[in-house]
Amino acid sequence: MKRIAVLTSGGDCSGMNAAIRAVVRAGLSNNLEVIGIQKGYQGLIDQQYELLTTKSVSSKLQVGGTFLQSARCLEMLEEAGQNLAIDNLKEMGIDGLVIIGGDGSHRGALKLQKRGIQVMAIPASIDNDIPFTDMSLGVDTALNNIIHAVDCLRDTASSHDRTFVVETMGRNCGYLALVAGIACGAEYALIPESSFDIDEICGNLRRRFQEGRDNSIIMIAEGAGKAQDVADQIKDRIGFETRIMVLGHYQRGGSPSSFDRLLAARVGVTAVEALLQGESGEMLGLSCGAVVQTDLEKVVQAGRRQIDETLLKLAATLGI
Ligand code: ADP
Ligand code: F6P
């Protein structure tokens, strides 16, 4: 093996740069050339790439996003696009590819692997919806972003006897809203995995204010509904002055947390070592603190990661 490549695909997240850096440094330590493919699979198809050196990844570790950029590439969904990507990889002399991205990116990785490309995949998505890993890259930083925002909102809410409804990302997965709800002591975490009753919520909000509480925080995952709709329903039912905050893409950015930096270093280096050992078609996840490999076919077939029942129980016990 002489030359490997790395790309970031799908929604960006914090820690991607740190993972690219780990791949580059591990590659160079093992006398490999490392190529950075720009804009995910689009760069493979359009042959947009650059040779990466230690200088290319200098001072990138602490920066959010991905300096290789990311993209959603429709051509890659078609066989013709996949064939072109494979032809280009061969033309570029790439012996192994590290793909950093979410579940869609892993599906693309599996297609390449099945056509004979040596690939390793690193789960990266703030949604934490990828199976066979306790944490994906970017989740911890996103949670820290959310927690910072909610703590700020709590300050202003309590100054005005207000309720805030805070909408998180996560697609169809309630992980971010649930865990942030636990970490911020929210009154509710509305997630797609559990049903909720708006009348019961309103009854509780009224009781809280009657008891002298000066604020309430309701987290809602984007997959469970819109913050504005919940706020409108509260206003209509009990007349409470309710404000909303849709956290949106703010959650995806910012300097990676120490957890994400360490995770990126561990999985980035392991990916290169696995390629050197001739392994392929595996995703590098985290299980009980250890880096573990799972067959990409198994990952893709499993679909979305289910929410951890113990977290649901924890939230319920805490009254969320
Ligand atoms: P994420 O990787 O964050 O889940 P997407 O689901 O948008 O983001 O997937 C990223 C990219 O991966 C897509 O734009 C596409 O290029 C590629 N991809 C997704 N699904 C497939 C598939 N079934 N076959 C081949 N490539 C895919
Ligand atoms: O998958 C990551 C994610 O940030 C989701 O939480 C969100 O629903 C989606 O991507 C947003 O996608 P885009 O960046 O294309 O608006």
Side-chain angles (χ1 to χ4, degrees):
M1 177 164 283
K2 289 195 175 63
R3 188 177 240 215
I4 62 169
V6 58
L7 63 81
T8 48
S9 166
D12 72 287
C13 67
S14 203
M16 281 182 159
N17 279 329
I20 298 167
R21 176 183 185 270
V23 169
V24 171
R25 286 197 159 251
L28 296 177
S29 297
N30 285 285
N31 302 315
L32 298 172
E33 261 186 1
V34 186
I35 302 296
I37 312 283
Q38 289 145 6
K39 299 186 193 292
Y41 293 119
Q42 197 62 54
L44 262 191
I45 286 167
D46 299 341
Q47 287 200 310
Q48 284 181 279
Y49 62 94
E50 60 189 291
L51 182 68
L52 298 176
T53 62
T54 50
K55 186 154 182 274
S56 324
V57 291
S58 171
S59 300
K60 297 284 196 296
L61 163 64
Q62 75 282 12
V63 183
T66 160
F67 79 94
L68 287 177
Q69 297 196 289
S70 190
R72 294 198 161 98
C73 167
L74 295 179
E75 283 161 278
M76 184 64 190
L77 298 173
E78 309 295 330
E79 207 173 310
Q82 293 155 21
N83 289 338
L84 186 53
I86 289 165
D87 289 346
N88 288 342
L89 278 163
K90 288 183 179 155
E91 199 184 310
M92 289 186 261
I94 307 291
D95 304 313
L97 177 63
V98 179
I99 291 160
I100 305 168
D103 56 342
S105 305
H106 296 164
R107 265 180 233 121
L110 185 60
K111 297 263 167 69
L112 296 180
Q113 190 263 334
K114 282 190 167 169
R115 286 175 168 79
I117 303 294
Q118 206 184 332
V119 300
M120 293 301 293
I122 292 177
S125 164
I126 65 164
D127 303 342
N128 215 22
D129 60 351
I130 302 171
F132 300 105
T133 185
D134 294 342
M135 290 289 273
S136 295
L137 205 57
V139 175
D140 186 64
T141 305
L143 279 172
N144 286 331
N145 289 341
I146 297 168
I147 288 164
H148 176 70
V150 174
D151 287 350
C152 291
L153 293 175
R154 180 93 73 181
D155 292 346
T156 170
S158 62
S159 307
H160 292 271
D161 284 332
R162 277 177 178 158
T163 295
F164 266 81
V165 186
V166 186
E167 186 178 312
T168 65
M169 277 188 166
R171 281 189 204 272
N172 299 315
C173 179
Y175 183 89
L176 290 175
L178 180 66
V179 174
I182 294 169
C184 295
E187 279 51 66
Y188 283 94
L190 312 180
I191 58 172
E193 291 86 349
S194 308
S195 58
F196 56 88
D197 176 355
I198 195 74
D199 290 320
E200 189 239 64
I201 293 173
C202 288
N204 252 326
L205 292 179
R206 199 201 305 268
R207 177 191 53 78
R208 284 177 54 77
F209 282 100
Q210 282 165 353
E211 287 174 1
R213 265 97 162 208
D214 56 18
N215 72 86
S216 295
I217 300 284
I218 300 174
M219 305 298 300
I220 182 165
E222 64 177 346
K226 295 210 171 303
Q228 189 63 62
D229 292 344
V230 173
D232 290 346
Q233 290 183 63
I234 294 170
K235 180 95 173 68
D236 289 349
R237 281 175 168 74
I238 54 174
F240 273 22
E241 195 176 28
T242 304
R243 295 283 190 267
I244 67 152
M245 170 109 213
V246 179
L247 292 172
H249 291 81
Y250 158 81
Q251 292 159 94
R252 293 216 309 231
S255 184
S257 64
S258 56
F259 180 91
D260 277 325
R261 294 180 193 206
L262 184 60
L263 179 59
R266 292 175 77 195
V267 291
V269 168
T270 310
V272 175
E273 287 171 352
L275 286 176
L276 281 165
Q277 281 160 20
E279 294 180 44
S280 181
E282 302 275 314
M283 185 191 83
L284 295 166
L286 198 61
S287 176
C288 302
V291 174
V292 291
Q293 292 185 201
T294 309
D295 193 46
L296 263 179
E297 182 93 60
K298 197 170 154 187
V299 175
V300 164
Q301 274 174 10
R304 193 161 54 83
R305 178 179 187 263
Q306 298 303 305
I307 202 114
D308 183 346
E309 288 291 327
T310 62
L311 283 176
L312 290 171
K313 193 160 173 284
L314 180 65
T317 306
L318 291 169
I320 297 168

